[in-house]
């Protein structure tokens, strides 16, 4: 899903959320709409995703190169948006397609289905996948549910729910697998953000001086909370970025592997991994880490894809996607060189205030050529 | 309140809102928080408002130049934010100040009060003014509640509620009066936005062609809804702008006058006025209308201010405020000249989806020098 996907505001009262401690509780629907769903009701937002060639090609190819999975079959498209995946499924020969969409975009999807003469095959249903009822179970569940760094937005919960409710025991998932990747990177953003933060604090100090002088109120007691708020904003919030492959300075490592047929919500509440990466560039700066994902369309063991398709969001010159990568910056950057080993302890869990946003704990240790380990550095990040 | 004040997302389900047809119904608190209140919990946002010199000077002067209203009196600060108005009220000699704040900013206000040694006078209460209980009625209600074009955010409803519940029959309102103004303007934004809109539509047509060609899906049925969505975004949404006085091409007119002591929520659900403006510049373009407001601190008839203070957000070279003005653009602009009379029929009411946002119907007729009236032009706008 695109950059404009809302998720940056917090909830208050009125219902609790799925949290990192493993409990999944009710999310207030109105709040979830105001925080998350509403962006997807805009055609502009759908167009952004539909204009992502890499994304479109991958799904198009996965469907049309694997017609045996679709011809004469029943399909469920979870979060159909404009209806594109449902339409392709029907064009590939599906007997029946249920296209479920939570927002008013469903009305446009219905129009699009009709304009493409597929209303006899594709039934658009407006509602949450958790609430709606289908007349039958399906052979295929297709969905484009991936958020930044795969799990931001936590839409996959809904796909899992759909699978558990509506997929036949022999059914296939499109995509079938997903992986999260992490690699050490260099980036000018580290310096920029630190500079922005320092400028912001300089400005604050001037503000405190003036407010005391002109208005007789001493605001210095707010300096600490203000600096924490700004530190989070400038230095700890992960950033969307379109990394150049040359910025990847170490071997990428897999943080998480997901089998979409068997994974549970419990499995993805927390992503925890210890990985190792070897620096591949001589005399460079470790400015942070870049995170991305890939998904694969492999079908299932008993009913594999004839043509396996991969959709990757790894740094690329020509094949970038609207997902970009998520960048976690280090302050300050660290000098490293070819052969150094970076050991990373990565832990990501859902924000208590908003289950669609993430908290990240990232600790790294550097092993230099002599074999010596530098002291571990621990960092907190927020994916908002 | 500042530009970053959230209000642009819409509500869904879970509770209804105060609408333009005159009924005031319950707003879902969680949704209202996600849509509106949450921005005010950020110190950065408070700082923006505290850094607005014109705003700060006006309130500072209104309090300290009218100590007779505060010395030995009880005060209620509605929406205290950082606590600044409550602190000034106490410094001006108030016996007791109740500072009510709906967000966690209340915790910072409490710290600030303590750091300025006023904890014996100022009591910070975290909660909605509609819900909390005070031990007594007050002599003064002070509040900085004004949104863009005065009423965006509909915070004044809360001040009226506070007044009806907690102001003594002899009490005074700070500010005491408010007015909304409208004037014909010229602005390069009209051409820019039209150009942006046309570019966006050109891009869309290319997108439709490519999607049909590469992916076999005909999206042309979505052209109409897409163009309506973009037209609203580019051409019909009012804009924040800091107008130069030279951009005001006609005499400003008053749309609404409010006596804060007597006005009811019913009175402000709909702002309707027919006003006239005379063009004051030779051979210019009427590109749209600029809207702004002013408030006055006059006390009340029985207990007037000793020093009347005005806070205006009219276009100004040196005394601009964070409110700027709201700009309603015409497409296309119209050539007018000195002496032409513009008759405007203005009607503003609350959005059904979100009572804190506004719908505007603006119709204008131009009377040229011969006395002839050009046909009326009607426009719909949205204050989001």
């Amino acid at each position: 899903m695109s950059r404009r996907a809302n998720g940056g505001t917090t909830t208050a009262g009125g219902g609790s959320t799925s949290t990192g401690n493993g409990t999944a509780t009710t999310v207030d629907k109105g709040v979830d709409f105001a925080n998350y769903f509403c962006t997807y009701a805009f055609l502009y937002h759908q167009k952004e995703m539909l204009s992502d060639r890499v994304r479109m090609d991958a799904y198009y190819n996965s469907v049309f190169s694997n017609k045996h999975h679709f011809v004469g079959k029943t399909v469920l498209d979870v979060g159909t948006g404009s209806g594109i995946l449902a339409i392709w499924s029907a064009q590939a020969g599906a007997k029946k397609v249920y296209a479920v969409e939570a927002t008013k975009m469903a009305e446009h999807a219905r129009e699009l289905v009709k304009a493409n003469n597929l209303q006899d095959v594709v039934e658009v249903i407006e509602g949450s996948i958790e609430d709606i009822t289908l007349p039958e179970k399906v052979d295929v569940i297709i969905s484009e549910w991936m958020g930044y760094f795969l799990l931001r937005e936590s839409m996959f919960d809904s796909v899992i729910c759909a699978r558990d409710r509506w997929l036949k025991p022999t059914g296939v998932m499109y995509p079938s697998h997903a992986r999260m990747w992490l690699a050490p990177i260099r980036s000018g953003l580290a310096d920029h953000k630190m500079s922005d933060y320092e400028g912001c604090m300089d400005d604050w100090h001037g503000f405190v001086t003036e407010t005391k002088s002109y208005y007789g109120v001493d605001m210095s007691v707010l300096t600490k909370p203000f600096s924490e708020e700004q530190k989070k904003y400038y230095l700890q919030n992960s950033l969307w970025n379109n990394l150049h492959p040359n910025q990847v300075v170490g071997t990428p490592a897999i943080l998480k592997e997901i089998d979409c047929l068997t994974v549970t919500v419990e499995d993805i509440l927390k992503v925890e991994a210890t990985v190792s990466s070897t620096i591949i560039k001589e005399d460079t700066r470790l400015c942070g880490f870049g995170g991305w994902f890939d998904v694969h369309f492999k079908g299932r063991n008993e009913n594999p894809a004839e043509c396996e398709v991969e959709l990757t969001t790894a740094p690329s010159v020509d094949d970038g996607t609207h997902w970009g990568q998520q960048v976690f910056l280090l302050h300050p950057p660290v000098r490293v060189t070819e052969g150094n080993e970076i050991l990373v302890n990565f832990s990501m869990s859902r924000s208590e205030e908003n289950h669609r946003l993430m908290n990240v704990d990232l600790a790294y240790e550097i092993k230099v050529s002599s074999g010596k380990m530098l002291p571990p550095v621990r960092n907190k990040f927020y994916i908002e």
Side-chain angles (χ1 to χ4, degrees), chain A:
Chain A
M1 301 283 161
S2 162
R3 182 188 344 191
R4 279 173 60 175
N6 201 5
T9 53
T10 56
T11 59
S16 39
T17 60
S18 305
T19 59
N21 63 12
T23 53
T25 41
T26 334
V27 177
D28 180 87
K29 285 198 187 322
V31 175
D32 206 20
F33 184 86
N35 275 341
Y36 172 67
F37 280 110
C38 57
T39 325
Y40 289 102
F42 288 97
L43 283 164
Y44 182 82
H45 185 66
Q46 295 291 332
K47 175 179 171 290
E48 280 196 337
M49 295 185 285
L50 292 166
S51 299
D52 179 335
R53 275 296 185 79
V54 172
R55 168 192 188 263
M56 291 288 272
D57 283 352
Y59 273 87
Y60 182 89
N61 291 334
S62 77
V63 171
F64 287 99
S65 303
N66 291 295
K67 285 187 173 172
H68 65 289
H69 276 152
F70 292 87
V71 170
K73 300 286 196 284
T74 51
V75 180
L76 167 59
D77 177 1
V78 180
T80 201
S82 58
I84 187 75
L85 301 184
I87 284 169
W88 284 341
S89 301
Q91 288 175 336
K95 174 176 70 178
K96 181 79 187 185
V97 183
Y98 302 102
V100 180
E101 170 58 37
T103 75
K104 294 236 161 293
M105 185 55 57
E107 295 171 11
H108 295 309
R110 212 167 274 126
E111 290 293 303
L112 199 60
V113 163
K114 193 149 178 242
N116 286 270
N117 297 313
L118 295 164
Q119 65 274 24
D120 294 336
V121 178
V122 181
E123 181 180 337
V124 177
I125 301 166
E126 183 176 340
S128 294
I129 196 73
E130 291 82 358
D131 299 337
I132 60 97
T133 309
L134 300 181
E136 56 179 331
K137 294 207 178 203
V138 300
D139 298 296
V140 180
I141 287 181
I142 189 166
S143 179
E144 197 279 81
W145 51 265
M146 300 84 71
Y148 293 155
F149 205 14
L150 193 70
L151 295 176
R152 182 184 178 275
E153 293 176 47
S154 297
M155 185 185 159
F156 195 44
D157 290 18
S158 298
V159 178
I160 292 172
C161 172
R163 181 199 71 196
D164 293 346
R165 292 183 79 201
W166 302 113
L167 190 67
K168 289 179 183 170
T170 52
V172 288
M173 301 291 291
Y174 268 65
S176 58
H177 296 79
R179 295 184 301 191
M180 288 172 64
W181 291 82
L182 193 76
I185 60 164
R186 61 175 171 80
S187 171
L189 286 173
D191 294 337
H192 290 160
K193 291 296 176 185
M194 179 51 80
S195 175
D196 287 345
Y197 169 71
E198 289 171 341
C200 178
M201 289 312 301
D202 284 342
D203 188 66
W204 169 266
H205 291 301
F207 161 78
V208 168
T209 302
E210 284 182 11
T211 308
K212 179 92 184 82
S213 158
Y214 287 116
Y215 302 118
V217 179
D218 185 354
M219 300 251 169
S220 56
V221 74
L222 296 180
T223 299
K224 184 162 178 286
F226 181 80
S227 75
E228 279 163 7
E229 184 185 289
Q230 297 315 301
K231 186 168 163 246
K232 180 172 188 281
Y233 180 78
Y234 285 108
L235 307 182
Q236 294 180 287
N237 275 356
S238 61
L239 305 174
W240 181 96
N241 199 222
N242 205 9
L243 292 167
H244 190 285
N246 288 349
Q247 292 181 272
V248 178
V249 300
T251 51
I254 295 174
L255 290 174
K256 183 87 175 176
E257 298 202 61
I258 290 170
D259 180 340
C260 302
L261 208 48
T262 56
V263 70
T264 63
V265 170
E266 182 78 35
D267 293 334
I268 57 170
L269 284 179
K270 205 164 182 181
V271 174
E272 214 161 11
T274 301
V275 297
S276 168
S277 174
T278 308
I279 300 297
I280 53 174
K281 295 211 189 265
E282 196 177 318
D283 208 21
T284 185
R285 288 200 310 163
L286 172 65
C287 298
F289 295 89
W292 63 85
F293 67 88
D294 59 29
V295 297
H296 285 86
F297 300 83
K298 300 189 193 184
R300 64 186 292 165
N301 290 340
E302 306 85 343
N303 185 7
E306 270 170 21
C307 174
E308 285 189 10
V309 173
E310 171 181 88
L311 166 54
T312 176
T313 65
S316 167
V317 180
D318 294 321
D319 295 330
T321 71
H322 75 286
W323 282 284
Q325 294 82 33
Q326 283 290 287
V327 165
F328 305 87
L329 296 168
L330 302 176
H331 308 283
V334 188
R335 291 228 73 87
V336 291
T337 195
E338 201 172 346
N340 289 163
E341 211 181 306
I342 319 290
L343 224 77
V344 180
N345 208 308
F346 180 95
S347 177
M348 184 177 89
S349 60
R350 301 176 180 199
S351 158
E352 294 250 344
E353 288 100 11
N354 185 335
H355 76 293
R356 297 191 183 275
L357 306 180
M358 307 287 161
N359 295 335
V360 169
D361 270 290
L362 193 154
Y364 70 88
E365 288 174 276
I366 305 178
K367 190 178 187 180
V368 292
S369 51
S370 63
K372 171 183 170 179
M373 296 290 291
L374 300 180
V377 180
R378 172 158 264 106
N379 291 278
K380 249 182 154 57
F381 295 100
Y382 303 91
I383 304 179
E384 302 219 321

